[in-house]
Amino acid sequence: MFRTLISLLVFLASVVPLQAEVAVPVGIFKVVNTEGFVQSNGERVALETDMSEGTALIERDAANRLNVEINGAQLNLFPLDRGLAALTWDANGTALLHDIDVRALFGKDDPEDVPAWGAELEWPGSGTVQLVLLPLGDRAYTAFLISHPRDKTVVRQMEFRQFYGPSDRPEISFSSSLTPAN
């Protein structure tokens, strides 16, 4: 009987597909706002480009949460059961990533198959916001910060990118006076 039970367990383990945990990047990231808009009374206005950079530390805990520290603020993001499908934003008429763009980056047809972490948070100056991070490869995230101050909707798209090497590295320039060695 015991041998039959072990054989059955081995068989089930070999035929039942095991869902692999999604690899997510962790560490220190540079954060930039790449795009955004404000919508009020049906009119949409693009946000000015903001080239300032922030710094974020992202860690993953045993409960599969992402613990994010951005410029000193501690945020805890939870895996979204419905993945990208849990996020709603209207990117029409903007340069923001659209749902179809994000799915293409992940090679997924169903938005529920795109992993995402998010939470509703209190954000200084914006009230309650929805922050969602979607991992892009092993060194980056794309993120959306969606808020509804007063009678407006504000959507910001952000990039979190890991950086390596010194930030004061000299620029490489090519001189036309250099000739290749024979």
Side-chain angles (χ1 to χ4, degrees), residues 43-56:
E43 189 175 329
R44 187 173 288 180
V45 177
L47 291 171
E48 288 186 29
T49 303
D50 179 5
M51 296 307 292
S52 60
E53 293 181 345
T55 301

Side-chain angles (χ1 to χ4, degrees), residues 1-9:
M1 178 68 171
F2 182 69
R3 181 177 263 173
T4 305
L5 181 60
I6 294 296
S7 297
L8 179 61
L9 288 174

